[in-house]
Amino acid sequence: MDFSTLAVIVVAGMLGPLLALPTRWRIPVVIGELVAGVLLGPTFVGYLHAGDRTFAFLADMGFALIMFVAGAHVPVRDRALRGGLAKGMLRAVAVAAVGVVPAFALAQGFHTGHTALYAVLFASSSAALILPVLDSLRLGGPDVLALLPQVAVADTACIVALPLAVDPAHAGRAALGAAAVLGCSAVLFLILRQAERRGWHRRVHRLSRQRKFALELRISLAIVFALAALATHTHVSIMLAGFSFGLVVAAIGEPRRLAKQLFAITEGFLGPLFFVWLGASLDLRQLGSHPSAILLGLLVGAATILSHASMRLTGQPVAYGVLASAQLGVPVAAATLGTQLHLLRPGESAALLLGALVSIAAATAAGAFASRGAPPPTADETHPTDGGTTGGGTTAGPTGAKGDGAQPAAG
């Protein structure tokens, strides 16, 4: 790894925004970044080597921050979210139960023995993908109010469960590590909430803005990396460290200035670097040499969609069920962990990502269908991803960011 390679990685990552530029396609930015990594990796050019220690460490930093931002995007303080919490939680549990059957069938049919892993994949939803779709399409109403907690619960639970499913032989150790990370996150929530109530956070923010110290960003990064270190030492994925602290920040309320700073460092550099690295770590030639992996990927995507669409039996419209099936973070994490631990069969990591792409394509079409049949939002209707007024008199936006006099968070 040197500066010329780093420049190539940054330029290659721009393929993501280029593919996402046509709004009618609604292609997530990360798809282009993954494609760039695949093109420059061993599948085609062979220029990038995911095994490079510096490259891999920078990718780990990006992975932690991606999950932190994803957690911070969960609208945990939204009163509308709490209104449909019970129904959403029940549907999330029901989807997980339904997904066990196809998970067992695929694990047995393809002789992978990964029933638990597939079950977690089928149950997961990506809040980082679904919430922006709901926001851009201006979808509202009781069905969306029940969909939000369903997605949030599924996303959080599956991120916690994934390390246990990927490496079941060390499930006990992983459970203790996950408990340690979650316990530290709970303590951080209590500390930060107390700091917010006593006005310490506001004074730090004012000093940071006046003196241009970027103290909030420095403190947030220090906490994320400290939790990532704890996760690493306790043999737990760093995704849990990033996501759990993101939920803490969302619960407290993320200042918009911090949101802008995190957006810049994550979406501008470390996030694209991680997805380029992930693409470079995949040798899709395995799909050619293992045609069964293509079939596995298609069936994983189909089973994910059908598991969520089955909630039509509970009264959920099919379009919203299919929309809830969109996933990326959990399959990406599964492919990453499985590759690092050498637990997946040849071509299986590529199959997991193929299944994720199938779910994203279906969810994109379902969102467009739902928006055509949805009535326009009324003036007095609270948008599902808009936060309400907090106890401190500030208003939370789609990511839970609090107003602090700065411009709204970019992106």
Side-chain angles (χ1 to χ4, degrees), residues 17-365:
L18 287 177
L19 291 181
L21 191 60
T23 55
R24 65 181 182 276
W25 293 356
R26 297 191 183 279
I27 298 177
V29 175
V30 298
I31 300 302
E33 295 162 354
L34 282 168
V35 169
V38 170
L39 294 176
L40 294 176
T43 303
F44 292 100
V45 179
Y47 177 76
L48 295 180
H49 303 283
D52 182 276
R53 295 183 64 181
T54 303
F55 191 11
F57 180 68
L58 290 174
D60 283 342
M61 292 173 58
F63 188 31
L65 289 179
I66 287 170
M67 300 313 299
F68 172 49
V69 172
H73 282 188
V74 177
V76 295
R77 303 196 310 166
D78 195 330
R79 288 174 295 183
L81 182 72
R82 294 192 294 269
L85 184 60
K87 183 181 294 185
M89 289 182 63
L90 290 175
R91 282 178 176 162
V93 172
V95 170
V98 170
V100 172
V101 175
F104 178 79
L106 289 181
Q108 295 298 314
F110 288 88
H111 307 289
T112 63
H114 293 153
T115 300
L117 172 60
Y118 297 158
V120 171
L121 291 178
F122 299 160
S124 68
S125 296
S126 176
L129 283 175
I130 297 170
L131 296 184
V133 171
L134 294 175
D135 185 59
S136 63
L137 297 178
R138 301 296 295 173
L139 295 174
D143 290 321
V144 174
L145 297 183
L147 177 64
L148 288 174
Q150 175 186 344
V151 171
V153 169
D155 203 357
T156 305
C158 290
I159 284 176
V160 173
L162 181 61
L164 310 180
V166 171
D167 192 11
H170 299 93
R173 182 184 66 183
L176 291 176
V181 172
L182 294 175
C184 289
S185 298
V187 172
L188 284 170
F189 170 74
L190 297 176
I191 294 174
L192 293 178
R193 185 177 63 174
Q194 191 69 11
E196 181 77 16
R197 290 177 175 177
R198 291 175 178 261
W200 299 341
H201 177 269
R202 188 176 300 276
R203 288 197 291 269
V204 170
H205 166 71
R206 188 180 300 113
L207 173 65
S208 178
R209 186 173 59 180
Q210 292 174 350
R211 302 292 299 276
K212 302 186 184 303
F213 287 160
L215 291 177
E216 294 159 311
L217 177 62
R218 297 180 191 222
I219 294 172
S220 297
L221 291 178
I223 294 175
V224 170
F225 295 148
L227 287 175
L230 174 62
T232 301
H233 289 305
T234 56
H235 305 283
V236 178
S237 172
I238 57 177
M239 70 174 181
L240 181 59
F243 192 78
S244 60
F245 183 56
L247 291 177
V248 170
V249 171
I252 299 297
E254 181 185 43
R256 291 183 178 177
R257 186 164 179 263
L258 174 60
K260 291 173 64 177
Q261 293 167 339
L262 287 171
F263 174 84
I265 193 173
T266 303
E267 300 300 329
F269 176 47
L270 289 174
L273 184 145
F274 165 74
F275 285 111
V276 172
W277 171 86
L278 182 62
S281 69
L282 301 176
D283 188 356
L284 295 185
R285 292 176 300 181
Q286 296 176 356
L287 291 176
S289 56
H290 299 85
S292 62
I294 299 177
L295 178 60
L296 174 60
L298 295 175
L299 291 177
V300 165
T304 302
I305 296 167
L306 292 176
S307 296
H308 287 269
S310 67
M311 292 303 99
R312 180 68 183 92
L313 299 175
T314 68
Q316 184 179 53
V318 174
Y320 287 104
V322 175
L323 182 58
S325 71
Q327 54 178 252
L328 189 62
V330 171
V332 164
T336 303
L337 293 175
T339 300
Q340 292 173 344
L341 298 175
H342 306 288
L343 297 174
L344 299 180
R345 292 179 176 271
E348 191 174 3
S349 59
L352 299 184
L353 292 179
L354 176 59
L357 296 180
V358 171
S359 72
I360 292 173
T364 301

